[in-house]
Every structure is written in structure tokens, then in C-alpha cells.
Amino acid sequence: MTTQGEFEHSLTHKVFWCLAESHFRQARSTYKRTQLPTAETATSPKEWRGHIVAGLSCLYGLLRICETPRDQAKYFGTDLVIGPDTEAKTRLRIAHILSEWADCVPTSGGDAENNEEERQLTRALIAVPSGDAYIGTRYAIIAAQCRLFLRRGELKWTEQKLKAALTDAQQRGRHRWVHHFALELANMHIAKGEGPSAVSILQTLATYALRTGDKLWEMVALVHQLGIAVQARSWGTVDPILSALDDKAADPALASVPQVKTRFWVLKAAAMQCRGRLADAQEACNCARQALMEWQSVFARQLATNCASSGGSLIDIPSPHNDTAECWQVRGWSYYEAHAWVMLMSAFVAQVQDTYEPALGFLNLALEGIARGEADGATRQLLPLKLHIFLRLADVGIAALIMSDAKHALDQALVAISKSESYSDSQSRSNSELWRSSRDAIALRWAMYLQRIGQSAEAIDAYRCVIRGRDDDMRFAARINLAVLQLAAPEPLTPESRVAMRNTIVELVQDMEKSPNGQHENARRALLELLQGIETEEPVRSKTHLLACLRVCSDTADSVLQGWTLCLLGTLVLPAGQYEQAMRMCAAGQAIAQRANDPLQKAAAIGILAHIENAVGDPDRCAKLLQIDQSCLEQFNSRIQDY
């Protein structure tokens, strides 16, 4: 029979916890309304901050009871003692809230929240009882400490703590905590740029999950490995991982984790596209959109029941033995991030296939997903992804000669960054870093836009600004584009400028040799071969470089560069009287330009074909082609003359 004192003891902390969680739910709800664009529907920051303070007051009030048991009779009329495990869990919850809202609540003195969060976690670790019955609470506190010190950049301490916790969890047979600490350790190595170390840990984790019969954790580990391998362009590693995941993705047991499946299909699409396998990339994009629809159904139910946490970024991993008490959560993409990445990848594959209208449609869908995430209070988290979408829109606009769209996208990218200045101090620091990391990408697109509309002098200045930047890929692309622009100038190169051009090529070759496995290695190599083919005055060497460029374009499915290279090859073989070969090359370039609806490239191909017809003695055919060529140039000028 339960006594009155025991009954009150069992309810006291639950009442405080429930009151606190009620305030935190209200804070999240009102905070979302502050993110709305209209002043009529937005709420004052004072309202949601008040709920945070009230919720924390409830938890701190419970701690006062834990700390002063002798005074409890004065409050409750009975001799109650709140257990140390309850104290530890309460302090852990305070630390979680301070971490969650650290960027939103202004501090009075620097890192006050971080210091208080660390203090609560330290005291929680002291308070939690020893013994297996409380090991879950102890591990949760250690995990929170690792996240805090990882945010501070104290990586050595974090690594030591994670390794110790991982070893302890293995010795105790706590499988889910083994998975958690191993995954956190791998993520830390990824953040440090230590891909091989992360892969080693994830391989061990996948083997451990397979041995314990946990299919879901095995897939989580394999998908993380795939992400590292695709980013490093390590195709020898990608293929076996894809083979293993292809079999698992169709397993009905994985229906409960559409988040993991969605990321897998996006990564597979990226791998296939990078290797020029467009049909496989398109199929993977279709599967990614299907997985996203499955996730959308799950996320909609979570929203309807007010159970969606962090935009759906917490993935529930149930026990392989259907033990609900063992359900685990892993943090991954939010639904809004996944939606944007799926649409971004679909747009990229469509653009590579020269279908610009579908690419624009997918990018606009990605922006719609970002807008829904911003309405849900995730404005800051989605800012880097939103900026990336605007850059892709600029790329499509420049490639498709929709110059107004390209200019609008670049303007929107700058607006998105400028709006971030209204965030708190810590957010402003992170957004300043975002601006520093993205300004070269924006400047490169701006230079390409200026070059496309014929403002060569301004484009040259913009390219030189990018060359002075610190992003290696952007600098390489800017130097290539600047060199091609100078070679295409109406005035022929002087001996001095030709020497300077060759020095530039030597430097670019050296850059390629320094980073042979760079993120954009194939694109770099294709552009460099094109530049060398244009620059050299020896026909044989020029043809060798252009054919090499053509091979790389075929591998990467870069049809735009392929079309220009075919036209250049046509002009190269024309003086030697190889009319039939020149005609085939230029006709292929014209077909590519026709699919891409690029009037400038089409005009170049048709102009060469007109010269061929004139050379073989068909003046009527030559005259007709020159008329078409003139029409294409007028079409190109009409697209850009207003900008």
C-alpha cells in the first residue's frame, strides 16, 4: 500500500517537469510566430523569452528542493527527499534548454550560457548515482558534455571523453550507447577533416551493428560512410557501399526510417552524376523524391500531434527486438533540409541534361521548402542551404541565358546574407563566417554574369577579385575563365601577354598536381585542357588537348563544354581540308546547342558550317546558313540587351 508521503514523493518532480515542459512548448510555438514575415502575425520576443525563463524557474525550483531536504517539510508538510537521479536528470534538462536557446537568448556577459550549461552538466555528473540502473543517465550527461565542448572547439578533450565512454559502453553491453558514441566520434573526425579516421570508426560500427542484428544502425553507419566517400570522390570505396545499401534500401524493416533512405538516394544520385551516369542519377533522384514523400507523411503526422522535434531532424531508431523502451534517436537532416537537397540534386541532374525548365522548377520547389522551414522557426539553420539554392539559380540563369533570373538570384543571395545581421551576436559571428566562405562563390557567378552580357572589362575585374580569395576551387575556375576571356578578346595576344598566359597555365597545372583528388577534379581538368587547346599555336598539340577535354566531358556528362569543344575541333581541322570531319563535329555541337537552347553556341556551330559549305563550293547553302547564324546572334542579343 502506498503511503501519502511516498505518493507525494513520486509526483513532486513530475509536476515541476510537466510545468517546465509546458512553458518550453509555448516558447517554441511563440518563437515560430516571431519568424513570420508579416508584422500582424508575428509576436514579440519578450513573450517566448518569458516562457523560457518560467520553464527554467520550475526546474531551478526543483533543484532547490533537492539541495535543501531539511526545508522540504516547510514547503510540503512532510519529510520528502528527491532522489539524486532526479536531480541529475533535472540539471541535464536545464543544460539541454540552455544549449537549444543559446543563440536566441541574449547574454549579459559573453559565454554566460555556456558556463552555466557546463556547471549544470558537471553537477549532474556528480549527482547521478553509480550502478547499472543509472548508467543511461550518466551516458546522456557525458554525451551532452561532448556536444558542448565540441561546439567550443575543444576537440582533444571531446575525443578522449567519447573514446572512454565508447569503451565503457562496449564493456557493459549497452549496444545503443555504443552506436551513439561511435557515431558522435565519427562526426567529430568529419568536422576535423579526418575522413579516413571517420570511415574506420563507421566501418567498425557497421560491423558491430551487423553482429548484433541491428539493420537500422547498420544502414545509418553505411550512409554516413557513403557521404564521406562521395565528398572525397573515392569511387573505389563508393561502389561496395552502394552495393550493400541497394539491397538494404528495399528491406520492409527500413520503412520506419525514410530520413535515412532519403539521404542515401540523394548521395547515390550525386555519385552517379559525378561519374557521368545520368540515367542512374535520374533513377536515384526519382527514388529520393519517393522516399521524401514517405517522410512527408510521417512528418505531417508528427506536426498534427505536436510531436515534431527540430523540424523532424531526430530519427527514431527502434530496437531490432521491437522493444519500445529501447527506441533511440539520431540527429540528421531536418525535413526541410532534406526537401531542399532532394530538389537541388534533381535540378542539378536536369541541368546537366540541358533541360533548364525542369531544373528551374525543382529549384523553386526547393525554395518553397525553405520558406516552410523558415515559417517553422528554422531561418538561421536553413540560411546556408538557401544561399546555395540562389547560387544554383544563378548558374541555371547564366547557362540558359535567362539573365534577369541570374541577376535576381545573385541579388537575393546578397539580401539573404544582409538579413542575417539582425540575429544575435553568436549568430552574427557564424553568419560572418558564412559570408566569408560564400563571397568567392557569389563573386565568381557575378563575373560570369558580366562576361555573359558582354561587359568584359567589369568581368575581368571581378575574376581578379575571386583570384585574390582563399577558396581554391573558386580561384581555379576564375583563373581559367579569365584566361579564356583574354584569349577570346578581339585583339591578338602580344608576345608579352602570351608569355604571361603560358605562365598562368603552368601554375594551373601545378595546382592540379597538388590536389589530384580535389572535389571538382574532372571539371578542373576539362577546363584546363580546353584552355591549353585554345592557347597553343601548334595544331597537333591543340587537337590533342581538345580531344582530352572531350573525353573528360563525356565522363562527366558536361554537354555544354562538350559542344564548345566540338566547335573548336571543327575549326581546327577545317584549314587542313577535313571538311567531312569538321562538319560532323560542328553538327554535333549544333545539336547540343539546340537541346540547351543556347543561341550563342548554336550561332558558332552554324557559322563554321557556313564556312565549310562555302569551301566545298555550295554558295546557296552557305548563304542560308549565314542567315540562320545571323538570326541566332540576334536572338542572343535580344536576351541580354536589357541587362
Side-chain angles (χ1 to χ4, degrees), residues 185-234:
L185 189 59
N187 288 334
M188 189 205 69
H189 283 295
I190 293 171
K192 291 169 64 178
E194 299 173 351
S197 299
V199 168
S200 177
I201 294 168
L202 291 169
Q203 288 173 340
T204 304
L205 176 58
T207 304
Y208 185 89
L210 180 63
R211 189 170 66 249
T212 57
D214 200 329
K215 296 179 181 179
L216 298 181
W217 269 105
E218 184 186 2
M219 189 170 183
V220 168
L222 288 172
V223 169
H224 271 68
Q225 286 185 62
L226 180 62
I228 297 172
V230 170
Q231 185 175 13
R233 302 299 193 265
S234 179

Short mmCIF file of all heavy atoms in Angstrom, two decimals, residues 185-234:
data_model
loop_
_atom_site.label_atom_id
_atom_site.label_comp_id
_atom_site.label_asym_id
_atom_site.label_seq_id
_atom_site.Cartn_x
_atom_site.Cartn_y
_atom_site.Cartn_z
N LEU A 185 31.74 10.17 -32.39
CA LEU A 185 33.18 10.21 -32.61
C LEU A 185 33.50 10.35 -34.10
O LEU A 185 34.38 11.11 -34.50
CB LEU A 185 33.82 8.94 -32.04
CG LEU A 185 35.35 8.89 -31.96
CD1 LEU A 185 35.91 10.03 -31.12
CD2 LEU A 185 35.80 7.54 -31.39
N ALA A 186 32.75 9.64 -34.94
CA ALA A 186 32.94 9.75 -36.39
C ALA A 186 32.61 11.16 -36.87
O ALA A 186 33.34 11.73 -37.69
CB ALA A 186 32.08 8.72 -37.11
N ASN A 187 31.50 11.73 -36.37
CA ASN A 187 31.12 13.09 -36.76
C ASN A 187 32.18 14.10 -36.35
O ASN A 187 32.42 15.09 -37.07
CB ASN A 187 29.77 13.46 -36.14
CG ASN A 187 28.61 12.72 -36.79
OD1 ASN A 187 28.70 12.32 -37.95
ND2 ASN A 187 27.54 12.53 -36.05
N MET A 188 32.82 13.87 -35.19
CA MET A 188 33.86 14.79 -34.75
C MET A 188 35.06 14.74 -35.70
O MET A 188 35.63 15.76 -36.08
CB MET A 188 34.31 14.42 -33.34
CG MET A 188 35.23 15.45 -32.71
SD MET A 188 36.28 14.76 -31.44
CE MET A 188 37.36 13.74 -32.42
N HIS A 189 35.43 13.53 -36.15
CA HIS A 189 36.54 13.40 -37.10
C HIS A 189 36.18 14.04 -38.44
O HIS A 189 37.04 14.63 -39.10
CB HIS A 189 36.90 11.93 -37.29
CG HIS A 189 37.69 11.35 -36.16
ND1 HIS A 189 38.96 11.78 -35.86
CD2 HIS A 189 37.40 10.39 -35.24
CE1 HIS A 189 39.43 11.10 -34.82
NE2 HIS A 189 38.50 10.25 -34.42
N ILE A 190 34.91 13.93 -38.84
CA ILE A 190 34.48 14.57 -40.08
C ILE A 190 34.62 16.08 -39.96
O ILE A 190 35.10 16.76 -40.88
CB ILE A 190 33.01 14.19 -40.40
CG1 ILE A 190 32.91 12.70 -40.74
CG2 ILE A 190 32.47 15.02 -41.56
CD1 ILE A 190 31.49 12.19 -40.87
N ALA A 191 34.20 16.63 -38.81
CA ALA A 191 34.32 18.08 -38.59
C ALA A 191 35.77 18.53 -38.62
O ALA A 191 36.08 19.65 -39.03
CB ALA A 191 33.67 18.46 -37.26
N LYS A 192 36.69 17.66 -38.20
CA LYS A 192 38.12 17.98 -38.21
C LYS A 192 38.76 17.75 -39.57
O LYS A 192 39.94 18.05 -39.76
CB LYS A 192 38.85 17.13 -37.16
CG LYS A 192 38.51 17.48 -35.72
CD LYS A 192 39.03 16.44 -34.75
CE LYS A 192 40.54 16.36 -34.75
NZ LYS A 192 41.04 15.38 -33.74
N GLY A 193 37.99 17.22 -40.52
CA GLY A 193 38.53 16.93 -41.83
C GLY A 193 39.33 15.65 -41.88
O GLY A 193 40.12 15.44 -42.81
N GLU A 194 39.14 14.77 -40.90
CA GLU A 194 39.87 13.50 -40.84
C GLU A 194 38.97 12.39 -41.36
O GLU A 194 38.46 11.55 -40.61
CB GLU A 194 40.33 13.23 -39.41
CG GLU A 194 41.28 14.30 -38.87
CD GLU A 194 41.59 14.12 -37.39
OE1 GLU A 194 40.94 13.27 -36.75
OE2 GLU A 194 42.47 14.84 -36.88
N GLY A 195 38.75 12.38 -42.68
CA GLY A 195 37.85 11.42 -43.30
C GLY A 195 38.24 9.97 -43.06
O GLY A 195 37.39 9.15 -42.69
N PRO A 196 39.52 9.57 -43.25
CA PRO A 196 39.90 8.16 -43.05
C PRO A 196 39.60 7.67 -41.63
O PRO A 196 39.16 6.54 -41.45
CB PRO A 196 41.41 8.16 -43.35
CG PRO A 196 41.60 9.31 -44.29
CD PRO A 196 40.63 10.35 -43.84
N SER A 197 39.85 8.51 -40.62
CA SER A 197 39.56 8.10 -39.24
C SER A 197 38.07 7.90 -39.04
O SER A 197 37.64 6.94 -38.38
CB SER A 197 40.08 9.16 -38.26
OG SER A 197 41.48 9.32 -38.36
N ALA A 198 37.26 8.80 -39.62
CA ALA A 198 35.81 8.66 -39.50
C ALA A 198 35.32 7.39 -40.19
O ALA A 198 34.47 6.66 -39.66
CB ALA A 198 35.13 9.89 -40.10
N VAL A 199 35.87 7.10 -41.37
CA VAL A 199 35.47 5.90 -42.11
C VAL A 199 35.81 4.65 -41.31
O VAL A 199 35.02 3.69 -41.24
CB VAL A 199 36.15 5.86 -43.49
CG1 VAL A 199 35.98 4.50 -44.15
CG2 VAL A 199 35.57 6.95 -44.39
N SER A 200 36.99 4.62 -40.68
CA SER A 200 37.39 3.46 -39.88
C SER A 200 36.41 3.21 -38.74
O SER A 200 36.01 2.07 -38.49
CB SER A 200 38.80 3.69 -39.33
OG SER A 200 39.19 2.63 -38.49
N ILE A 201 36.00 4.29 -38.07
CA ILE A 201 35.04 4.15 -36.97
C ILE A 201 33.69 3.67 -37.48
O ILE A 201 33.04 2.79 -36.89
CB ILE A 201 34.90 5.49 -36.23
CG1 ILE A 201 36.21 5.85 -35.53
CG2 ILE A 201 33.76 5.44 -35.21
CD1 ILE A 201 36.28 7.26 -35.02
N LEU A 202 33.24 4.22 -38.60
CA LEU A 202 31.94 3.84 -39.15
C LEU A 202 31.95 2.40 -39.66
O LEU A 202 30.93 1.70 -39.55
CB LEU A 202 31.56 4.80 -40.28
CG LEU A 202 31.24 6.23 -39.83
CD1 LEU A 202 31.16 7.16 -41.03
CD2 LEU A 202 29.93 6.27 -39.05
N GLN A 203 33.06 1.94 -40.20
CA GLN A 203 33.15 0.54 -40.62
C GLN A 203 33.04 -0.39 -39.42
O GLN A 203 32.34 -1.41 -39.47
CB GLN A 203 34.48 0.30 -41.35
CG GLN A 203 34.53 0.92 -42.75
CD GLN A 203 35.91 0.81 -43.38
OE1 GLN A 203 36.91 0.61 -42.69
NE2 GLN A 203 35.98 0.95 -44.70
N THR A 204 33.70 -0.02 -38.33
CA THR A 204 33.60 -0.81 -37.10
C THR A 204 32.17 -0.80 -36.58
O THR A 204 31.64 -1.83 -36.12
CB THR A 204 34.56 -0.26 -36.04
OG1 THR A 204 35.89 -0.24 -36.56
CG2 THR A 204 34.52 -1.10 -34.78
N LEU A 205 31.52 0.36 -36.66
CA LEU A 205 30.14 0.48 -36.19
C LEU A 205 29.20 -0.38 -37.03
O LEU A 205 28.32 -1.06 -36.49
CB LEU A 205 29.70 1.94 -36.24
CG LEU A 205 28.25 2.24 -35.87
CD1 LEU A 205 27.94 1.75 -34.46
CD2 LEU A 205 27.96 3.74 -35.98
N ALA A 206 29.39 -0.38 -38.35
CA ALA A 206 28.54 -1.19 -39.23
C ALA A 206 28.72 -2.67 -38.92
O ALA A 206 27.74 -3.44 -38.89
CB ALA A 206 28.86 -0.90 -40.69
N THR A 207 29.96 -3.09 -38.70
CA THR A 207 30.23 -4.49 -38.35
C THR A 207 29.59 -4.86 -37.02
O THR A 207 29.00 -5.94 -36.86
CB THR A 207 31.75 -4.74 -38.30
OG1 THR A 207 32.34 -4.36 -39.55
CG2 THR A 207 32.06 -6.19 -38.01
N TYR A 208 29.68 -3.95 -36.05
CA TYR A 208 29.09 -4.18 -34.73
C TYR A 208 27.57 -4.30 -34.84
O TYR A 208 26.96 -5.19 -34.23
CB TYR A 208 29.47 -3.02 -33.80
CG TYR A 208 29.03 -3.19 -32.37
CD1 TYR A 208 29.84 -3.83 -31.44
CD2 TYR A 208 27.81 -2.69 -31.93
CE1 TYR A 208 29.44 -3.97 -30.12
CE2 TYR A 208 27.39 -2.83 -30.62
CZ TYR A 208 28.22 -3.47 -29.72
OH TYR A 208 27.82 -3.61 -28.41
N ALA A 209 26.95 -3.41 -35.63
CA ALA A 209 25.50 -3.46 -35.80
C ALA A 209 25.07 -4.75 -36.50
O ALA A 209 24.05 -5.35 -36.17
CB ALA A 209 25.03 -2.24 -36.60
N LEU A 210 25.86 -5.19 -37.48
CA LEU A 210 25.55 -6.44 -38.18
C LEU A 210 25.64 -7.62 -37.23
O LEU A 210 24.79 -8.53 -37.26
CB LEU A 210 26.52 -6.62 -39.36
CG LEU A 210 26.35 -7.88 -40.20
CD1 LEU A 210 24.99 -7.88 -40.89
CD2 LEU A 210 27.46 -7.97 -41.24
N ARG A 211 26.64 -7.60 -36.35
CA ARG A 211 26.82 -8.70 -35.40
C ARG A 211 25.68 -8.75 -34.37
O ARG A 211 25.28 -9.83 -33.93
CB ARG A 211 28.17 -8.55 -34.69
CG ARG A 211 28.55 -9.75 -33.84
CD ARG A 211 29.98 -9.68 -33.35
NE ARG A 211 30.20 -8.59 -32.41
CZ ARG A 211 30.94 -7.52 -32.67
NH1 ARG A 211 31.52 -7.39 -33.85
NH2 ARG A 211 31.10 -6.57 -31.77
N THR A 212 25.16 -7.59 -34.00
CA THR A 212 24.07 -7.55 -33.02
C THR A 212 22.69 -7.60 -33.67
O THR A 212 21.68 -7.48 -32.99
CB THR A 212 24.18 -6.27 -32.16
OG1 THR A 212 24.17 -5.11 -33.02
CG2 THR A 212 25.44 -6.28 -31.34
N GLY A 213 22.65 -7.74 -35.01
CA GLY A 213 21.38 -7.89 -35.70
C GLY A 213 20.57 -6.61 -35.82
O GLY A 213 19.34 -6.67 -35.93
N ASP A 214 21.23 -5.47 -35.83
CA ASP A 214 20.52 -4.19 -35.88
C ASP A 214 20.66 -3.60 -37.29
O ASP A 214 21.63 -2.91 -37.61
CB ASP A 214 21.11 -3.23 -34.84
CG ASP A 214 20.15 -2.09 -34.51
OD1 ASP A 214 19.38 -1.70 -35.40
OD2 ASP A 214 20.18 -1.62 -33.37
N LYS A 215 19.70 -3.88 -38.16
CA LYS A 215 19.76 -3.45 -39.55
C LYS A 215 19.74 -1.93 -39.69
O LYS A 215 20.41 -1.36 -40.54
CB LYS A 215 18.58 -4.04 -40.34
CG LYS A 215 18.58 -5.54 -40.44
CD LYS A 215 17.36 -6.00 -41.23
CE LYS A 215 17.31 -7.51 -41.35
NZ LYS A 215 16.10 -7.95 -42.10
N LEU A 216 18.94 -1.27 -38.85
CA LEU A 216 18.79 0.18 -38.99
C LEU A 216 20.09 0.90 -38.67
O LEU A 216 20.50 1.81 -39.39
CB LEU A 216 17.66 0.67 -38.08
CG LEU A 216 16.28 0.10 -38.38
CD1 LEU A 216 15.24 0.69 -37.44
CD2 LEU A 216 15.88 0.40 -39.81
N TRP A 217 20.76 0.50 -37.58
CA TRP A 217 22.02 1.14 -37.24
C TRP A 217 23.09 0.83 -38.28
O TRP A 217 23.96 1.66 -38.57
CB TRP A 217 22.48 0.70 -35.86
CG TRP A 217 21.98 1.60 -34.77
CD1 TRP A 217 20.99 1.34 -33.89
CD2 TRP A 217 22.45 2.91 -34.48
NE1 TRP A 217 20.80 2.40 -33.06
CE2 TRP A 217 21.69 3.39 -33.39
CE3 TRP A 217 23.44 3.73 -35.02
CZ2 TRP A 217 21.89 4.64 -32.84
CZ3 TRP A 217 23.64 4.99 -34.46
CH2 TRP A 217 22.87 5.43 -33.39
N GLU A 218 23.04 -0.37 -38.84
CA GLU A 218 24.00 -0.70 -39.89
C GLU A 218 23.81 0.22 -41.09
O GLU A 218 24.79 0.71 -41.67
CB GLU A 218 23.81 -2.16 -40.32
CG GLU A 218 24.83 -2.62 -41.36
CD GLU A 218 24.55 -4.00 -41.89
OE1 GLU A 218 23.53 -4.60 -41.48
OE2 GLU A 218 25.33 -4.47 -42.73
N MET A 219 22.55 0.50 -41.45
CA MET A 219 22.30 1.38 -42.59
C MET A 219 22.72 2.82 -42.27
O MET A 219 23.28 3.52 -43.13
CB MET A 219 20.82 1.35 -42.96
CG MET A 219 20.51 2.08 -44.26
SD MET A 219 18.83 1.81 -44.85
CE MET A 219 18.89 2.73 -46.40
N VAL A 220 22.47 3.26 -41.03
CA VAL A 220 22.91 4.61 -40.63
C VAL A 220 24.42 4.74 -40.80
O VAL A 220 24.92 5.72 -41.35
CB VAL A 220 22.49 4.89 -39.17
CG1 VAL A 220 23.18 6.16 -38.66
CG2 VAL A 220 20.97 5.06 -39.07
N ALA A 221 25.17 3.73 -40.34
CA ALA A 221 26.63 3.78 -40.44
C ALA A 221 27.08 3.76 -41.90
O ALA A 221 27.99 4.50 -42.30
CB ALA A 221 27.24 2.60 -39.69
N LEU A 222 26.44 2.93 -42.72
CA LEU A 222 26.82 2.84 -44.13
C LEU A 222 26.52 4.13 -44.88
O LEU A 222 27.30 4.57 -45.74
CB LEU A 222 26.10 1.66 -44.79
CG LEU A 222 26.60 0.27 -44.39
CD1 LEU A 222 25.69 -0.81 -44.96
CD2 LEU A 222 28.03 0.04 -44.86
N VAL A 223 25.38 4.77 -44.57
CA VAL A 223 25.04 6.02 -45.25
C VAL A 223 26.03 7.12 -44.87
O VAL A 223 26.43 7.93 -45.73
CB VAL A 223 23.59 6.44 -44.90
CG1 VAL A 223 23.31 7.87 -45.36
CG2 VAL A 223 22.60 5.50 -45.57
N HIS A 224 26.47 7.14 -43.61
CA HIS A 224 27.49 8.11 -43.22
C HIS A 224 28.79 7.85 -43.97
O HIS A 224 29.46 8.79 -44.43
CB HIS A 224 27.74 8.03 -41.71
CG HIS A 224 26.85 8.93 -40.91
ND1 HIS A 224 25.50 8.73 -40.79
CD2 HIS A 224 27.12 10.05 -40.19
CE1 HIS A 224 24.98 9.67 -40.03
NE2 HIS A 224 25.93 10.49 -39.66
N GLN A 225 29.17 6.58 -44.11
CA GLN A 225 30.37 6.26 -44.88
C GLN A 225 30.23 6.71 -46.33
O GLN A 225 31.18 7.25 -46.93
CB GLN A 225 30.61 4.74 -44.87
CG GLN A 225 31.13 4.17 -43.57
CD GLN A 225 31.45 2.70 -43.71
OE1 GLN A 225 32.30 2.30 -44.50
NE2 GLN A 225 30.75 1.87 -42.96
N LEU A 226 29.05 6.49 -46.90
CA LEU A 226 28.82 6.88 -48.28
C LEU A 226 28.98 8.39 -48.46
O LEU A 226 29.56 8.85 -49.45
CB LEU A 226 27.42 6.44 -48.71
CG LEU A 226 27.02 6.78 -50.16
CD1 LEU A 226 27.94 6.09 -51.15
CD2 LEU A 226 25.56 6.38 -50.41
N GLY A 227 28.48 9.17 -47.49
CA GLY A 227 28.61 10.62 -47.58
C GLY A 227 30.06 11.06 -47.61
O GLY A 227 30.44 11.94 -48.40
N ILE A 228 30.89 10.45 -46.77
CA ILE A 228 32.32 10.79 -46.75
C ILE A 228 32.99 10.40 -48.06
O ILE A 228 33.77 11.16 -48.64
CB ILE A 228 33.01 10.09 -45.56
CG1 ILE A 228 32.41 10.57 -44.24
CG2 ILE A 228 34.51 10.35 -45.59
CD1 ILE A 228 32.90 9.78 -43.04
N ALA A 229 32.66 9.20 -48.56
CA ALA A 229 33.29 8.70 -49.78
C ALA A 229 32.90 9.54 -50.99
O ALA A 229 33.75 9.83 -51.85
CB ALA A 229 32.92 7.24 -50.00
N VAL A 230 31.63 9.94 -51.08
CA VAL A 230 31.20 10.76 -52.22
C VAL A 230 31.87 12.12 -52.18
O VAL A 230 32.32 12.65 -53.21
CB VAL A 230 29.66 10.90 -52.22
CG1 VAL A 230 29.21 11.95 -53.24
CG2 VAL A 230 29.00 9.56 -52.53
N GLN A 231 31.96 12.72 -50.98
CA GLN A 231 32.60 14.03 -50.87
C GLN A 231 34.07 13.95 -51.27
O GLN A 231 34.61 14.88 -51.89
CB GLN A 231 32.47 14.55 -49.45
CG GLN A 231 33.01 15.96 -49.28
CD GLN A 231 32.76 16.51 -47.89
OE1 GLN A 231 32.41 15.79 -46.97
NE2 GLN A 231 32.95 17.80 -47.72
N ALA A 232 34.74 12.83 -50.94
CA ALA A 232 36.16 12.68 -51.26
C ALA A 232 36.37 12.14 -52.67
O ALA A 232 37.51 11.99 -53.11
CB ALA A 232 36.81 11.74 -50.26
N ARG A 233 35.28 11.85 -53.40
CA ARG A 233 35.34 11.27 -54.74
C ARG A 233 36.15 9.97 -54.74
O ARG A 233 36.90 9.67 -55.66
CB ARG A 233 35.97 12.25 -55.75
CG ARG A 233 35.23 13.58 -55.87
CD ARG A 233 33.79 13.38 -56.33
NE ARG A 233 33.16 14.61 -56.74
CZ ARG A 233 32.40 15.36 -55.94
NH1 ARG A 233 32.20 15.02 -54.69
NH2 ARG A 233 31.83 16.46 -56.41
N SER A 234 35.98 9.19 -53.67
CA SER A 234 36.68 7.91 -53.54
C SER A 234 35.79 6.82 -54.12
O SER A 234 35.08 6.10 -53.40
CB SER A 234 37.00 7.63 -52.07
OG SER A 234 37.65 6.40 -51.91
#
